[in-house]
Structures are given as C-alpha cells and as structure tokens.
Amino acid sequence: MAWGWSSKTEENEEDASKDAGGMNDAGGLTDMTAVSAKISVLLDNARNKFEDEYKDLKLSVTIPALIQLVIQAEAKAPSDQEFSRDVLYNKTGKASEVKGKELENLDQCLSFAEWAYEPSTKELEKSLGSCGYSLLKHEKVEEAGLVGYYIAIDPEKKTAIIGIKGTSSLSDMLTDCCAATTKQTLDHSFVANDDSLKEISAHEGILISSNALAKSLEPFIKHLFLPLNYRLLLCGHSLGAGAAGLTGVLLRSQYPELIKKNSLEVISFASPPVLNHKAALACLPFTTSVVNNSDCVTRASLNNVEVLFKILQDIQTKLVEAGMDPVDRKSTSAYLSKIKSGKSGEMLMSTEEGFDVIGKAQKGVSIDDPDHLYVPGKVILLYRKWQDRKKRREELEAMEQAAKDKGEKFVEEEAVKEQEPLPVFCVRTDGVADPLRLIEIDNDMVMDHLTGSYHTMVDGLK
C-alpha cells in the first residue's frame, strides 16, 4: 500500500489498450468498486493459506476503508510538497539514470519479450529479422505446465535469444502468484563457490514450466550454443519474466560453463516474485528485472498479502475504536456515511500514521522465510512522482475552469496530448526493497503491468 491515488493521464491508457500481451481484463481496475472487488478475490483466495490467523478480518469492510484512506491522502496532500510515496521510492535504492547503450539494450529486450506473445511465426521472423536475428524455433503451446517461447540467433554477435511468452489472463496471474512455494535441489549451485545455493525455494507452477523449458533447450545448448561459444539472453514479460528468471537459474546449475564464461543473462519485465530471499539476491550478477510503478504482479506474493492483512487489521481496529465497525444499525450507518463521504471526509488515520502502519506490517513478516518469494536479481524500478501527477491534475482542472469561464468546450483527452509527458525516475535496487514488499493500492496497478505501459516508461528515460 502507498498513500496517494493517481488518475490515468497522458499516453499510458492509450498505449496499454494496444498492448500485445492480450490481457483483456486489464482495464478492470478503473474505480473504487472494481479495485475493492479485485483485491477481495485475491485476498479471499490467499486467506485460506494462513489457517485461522486472519479469520476475523472483515475484508468487505476494511478494503473499502483502506482505499478511501489512500484516496484522501492524495487529495489532501499539498502539491508543493514531496509526497511520502515518492520519498519511499526514492530512498529504496540508488537513484540513477539509464542511458546510452544500457537504455538501448533495455528497449530492445523489451521488444524481444513482447514478441514472445506473437502468434504468427511469419510476423515473428519479420520482427527478429529487423534487428539481425534469425528464428530457429517458435514453440506455441497452450498446455498446463508449459510456456510458449522462441529461439533466435545472431551469428555475427554470437548471441542466442530465448524469448518466453507471458500469460494471457491477468486474473489467473494474480491467483497463480499466490500459489504454493516448492523446493528444488539443483544439479550444482547456480553461483560459483557457494554450495548453499544448490537448493532453492520457488513459485511451484512457474518452476514446473521452467524445468520443462530448460529440458527443451538442452539440445540447442549442448550441441550448438556451448560449442560455438554463444551468449544466451533470456527475455520475458509477466509469467514469461518469471520463467526467464527461473530458467536462467536452472541452466546455470546444469551447465557450469555458463557460470565460468559469464555467458548467460536474463533481462525481464514485470516479473512476479519467484525466488526465496537468498536465491533472489544471488541472481544479481546475471539478472535484471524491470518494475514499472505500482505493477500489481510484481508484488503478488503470499508474503505481501500477509503484509496487507496486517495493515487491514490496523484499519479494522481504527474502525472499531471510531464506532464504525458495522455490527449493528448505528455502527453500520456510521460506516456507510464515512465511505460515502469519499475523499472529502475525515481520514481514519493521518498519512504519517499510515506509513507507521506499513513499516510495522513489513517488520512483522519475515524476509528470510523460505516460503516468501521475491523478484530476482537487480531491480530497475521506474516510477513517476505522484506529486507531479497531482500538479498535472490541478493544471487540467484549471484549464477546464478557464474554458468554462470563456464558454468554450474543454476536451481533457486533447489537453493531455498537448502537454509534455511527466518525467520518469529510476532507482536501482533489489526485490526486497520496501516498495516491492507491499501491494500498492493505485488506480494504475493493473495498467502498469502491461507491455504498453513498460514501453511508455522506457521511452520516458530517453
């Protein structure tokens, strides 16, 4: 959770609607009711995994109260002061620019990941050919436990790309991310000189898919890529990103030459949490995971659900203390009146109290629990400041009022297109960073997951 609420502005919504990922339900989180419904389903599915610890938590009561609190925090925050959410992002790692060859590589890898969604082999060949790669294999599968992928090579660069397809259903992805964690003993440690990494804990479903993919890649790696000293580049988005990260771990374990020659790299976008703490950090030398703003899939883990449960427990306590826990006619009326007051009503707690609640909840959930999973490797966290978003909203409201005073028609979509895009900021961190250890309640938490939104943010770095 973060304290602030954003309206979709600029090109994000238009770009995301064209997204190649095919996530048809992605636009569902567009208002408070839809947000509450989506989160309630996720938490109801997850609560069964915590036995009786949260059995008395009233999700249908506390979630709307939490969302209202987030909306109020943004509405009441002065736009001439830095938002607490922006401070949280900025301090979580090293603020840094992505430019030059690194930015060019990131941009191209995002295209490689996006092309894995392409159903037409002919179109895929055309796209890859435009940047010097020849398609070797295009595996289109629609079976449980398997992922679609393609293999392409550039003989001049001696590079082989494995592009791994993501999921076509975001609702399934959110549910799957709270699936069971499983352990696997590897052939060898995937990191040199550290036998403690011969065993990993990972997302069960994605690990099954990754093992199948690693098996499918075996003849290419053993008989082509290793003998010819090819560099392997694994790219993916969403489920494809998670599978890329785990497949990278498996291949380094199975082929120690890849470690010795440092000839395998993973660059992924919107990866769900897939590895335990120690293993996720051990991927730092060869894995880069890009996370966009409040992308819900990058936070969808049981450990983050538990953080949210603890936050909701504090919300419920506040409601009880205020006589707004709906147990009778009087308290129900008080609760409904509060929710109806929207952003203009009195806040259940201050923004400062809210961040104290977040900190307490995160401290109460162990990072090192082997069942708790994280986004692997180096994380490039891209974000736009909510302070800037609020300023933009105020500018648009002023323009609308000026047009009204003049008796002129105001079309917000046209006004947005005429304005400069908001600046994109970048922090280099890892999967255990505070912003990734909570489910950030934001109107764009689904739209931020789409490849169109990732393209918009990467373009914003240029």
Side-chain angles (χ1 to χ4, degrees):
M1 179 185 64
W3 303 88
W5 188 265
S6 65
S7 299
K8 288 189 286 291
T9 58
E10 308 172 63
E11 67 274 45
N12 281 20
E13 186 171 5
E14 181 180 351
D15 286 353
S17 68
K18 301 174 183 177
D19 189 273
M23 296 183 185
N24 297 324
D25 61 345
L29 274 174
T30 54
D31 56 38
M32 183 173 173
T33 303
V35 171
S36 181
K38 289 269 188 178
I39 297 173
S40 292
V41 171
L42 173 64
L43 298 190
D44 271 331
N45 289 338
R47 181 155 53 175
N48 296 330
K49 302 178 185 297
F50 293 103
E51 298 180 349
D52 294 332
E53 188 172 354
Y54 302 103
K55 63 182 178 62
D56 296 326
L57 185 57
K58 301 176 181 178
L59 297 179
S60 62
V61 172
T62 55
I63 291 174
L66 170 61
I67 294 173
Q68 181 190 35
L69 185 60
V70 173
I71 295 171
Q72 290 173 322
E74 190 274 341
K76 296 177 186 297
S79 60
D80 61 348
Q81 296 179 17
E82 191 170 25
F83 279 29
S84 297
R85 180 265 190 181
D86 300 338
V87 174
L88 178 70
Y89 271 61
N90 187 51
K91 73 178 185 180
T92 196
K94 183 180 180 181
S96 177
E97 292 185 6
V98 178
K99 55 185 179 181
K101 288 186 178 180
E102 183 184 16
L103 179 56
E104 183 181 340
N105 186 46
L106 207 64
D107 194 22
Q108 187 172 63
C109 286
L110 178 53
S111 294
F112 291 153
E114 187 175 32
W115 293 342
Y117 288 106
E118 177 56 63
S120 167
T121 299
K122 184 177 180 180
E123 288 300 317
L124 178 58
E125 285 179 325
K126 182 179 178 181
S127 296
L128 289 165
S130 68
C131 49
Y133 284 85
S134 300
L135 182 65
L136 287 186
K137 184 176 183 179
H138 186 198
E139 186 67 52
K140 295 176 280 187
V141 295
E142 298 293 339
E143 299 178 37
L146 298 175
V147 289
Y149 66 95
Y150 69 82
I151 305 172
I153 61 170
D154 183 333
E156 290 188 9
K157 294 180 181 177
K158 283 202 167 184
T159 298
I161 300 169
I162 295 109
I164 306 170
K165 184 178 179 292
T167 181
S168 58
S169 171
L170 186 55
S171 293
D172 289 347
M173 188 74 223
L174 288 172
T175 301
D176 291 346
C177 280
C178 289
T181 300
T182 189
K183 289 182 173 60
Q184 179 167 326
T185 300
L186 306 175
D187 296 345
H188 307 279
S189 173
F190 68 93
V191 175
N193 303 317
D194 189 347
D195 287 339
S196 68
L197 288 163
K198 283 185 65 175
E199 183 177 84
I200 60 171
S201 294
H203 181 288
E204 184 175 35
I206 300 178
L207 183 59
I208 290 171
S209 300
S210 300
N211 275 303
L213 176 56
K215 183 67 175 176
S216 297
L217 295 174
E218 182 178 345
F220 293 93
I221 295 174
K222 287 178 68 174
H223 305 303
L224 181 62
F225 301 145
L226 286 179
L228 295 179
N229 292 315
Y230 266 62
R231 167 179 169 262
L232 302 185
L233 175 61
L234 282 67
C235 299
H237 167 265
S238 191
L239 170 63
L246 291 183
T247 302
V249 167
L250 295 173
L251 293 180
R252 281 171 61 97
S253 166
Q254 293 164 7
Y255 307 101
E257 287 179 65
L258 295 173
I259 300 176
K260 293 176 184 177
K261 296 178 180 180
N262 193 27
S263 56
L264 180 148
E265 184 177 10
V266 177
I267 298 181
S268 68
F269 302 83
S271 174
V274 292
L275 275 172
N276 61 289
H277 178 212
K278 185 175 182 180
L281 293 184
C283 293
L284 285 166
F286 64 93
T287 298
T288 299
S289 299
V290 182
V291 173
N292 174 30
N293 266 319
S294 59
D295 182 346
C296 57
V297 168
T298 62
R299 277 92 168 174
S301 64
L302 278 178
N303 31 308
N304 283 348
V305 167
E306 186 169 13
V307 169
L308 183 53
F309 279 152
K310 290 182 179 298
I311 291 169
L312 292 175
Q313 281 183 325
D314 277 0
I315 294 286
Q316 186 161 300
T317 298
K318 285 285 187 180
L319 289 171
V320 171
E321 292 172 352
M324 298 178 186
D325 180 31
V327 293
D328 54 30
R329 180 176 294 182
K330 182 179 179 181
S331 57
T332 299
S333 177
Y335 172 79
L336 293 175
S337 295
K338 171 167 182 50
I339 298 300
K340 189 177 179 181
S341 69
K343 65 182 180 182
S344 62
E346 183 178 350
M347 293 177 69
L348 195 61
M349 66 179 75
S350 69
T351 299
E352 292 74 18
E353 287 179 284
F355 272 91
D356 287 342
V357 167
I358 291 173
K360 185 181 73 171
Q362 289 181 326
K363 288 178 181 177
V365 177
S366 171
I367 291 176
D368 293 317
D369 187 316
D371 289 331
H372 292 174
L373 305 179
Y374 302 91
V375 175
K378 299 184 293 287
V379 171
I380 295 179
L381 179 57
L382 306 178
Y383 69 101
R384 282 180 168 144
K385 291 185 177 181
W386 285 7
Q387 180 186 13
D388 291 341
R389 290 179 175 182
K390 184 167 185 181
K391 287 180 179 178
R392 177 60 52 85
R393 174 53 51 192
E394 290 174 346
E395 290 170 3
L396 290 171
E397 290 172 352
M399 292 168 64
E400 183 177 15
Q401 185 60 47
K404 184 178 180 181
D405 292 343
K406 294 178 182 179
E408 298 174 352
K409 183 179 180 181
F410 177 76
V411 181
E412 183 173 322
E413 291 78 8
E414 294 180 2
V416 167
K417 290 178 182 178
E418 293 175 359
Q419 293 180 311
E420 289 292 321
L422 296 177
V424 175
F425 296 87
C426 172
V427 171
R428 297 177 192 269
T429 184
D430 57 52
V432 195
D434 284 346
L436 297 182
R437 292 192 61 225
L438 54 92
I439 296 173
E440 186 171 11
I441 307 299
D442 176 45
N443 205 34
D444 289 338
M445 60 193 291
V446 171
M447 300 298 288
D448 282 342
H449 181 64
L450 305 184
T451 58
S453 292
Y454 274 81
H455 274 296
T456 296
M457 295 298 280
V458 171
D459 287 345
L461 295 172
K462 296 176 181 177

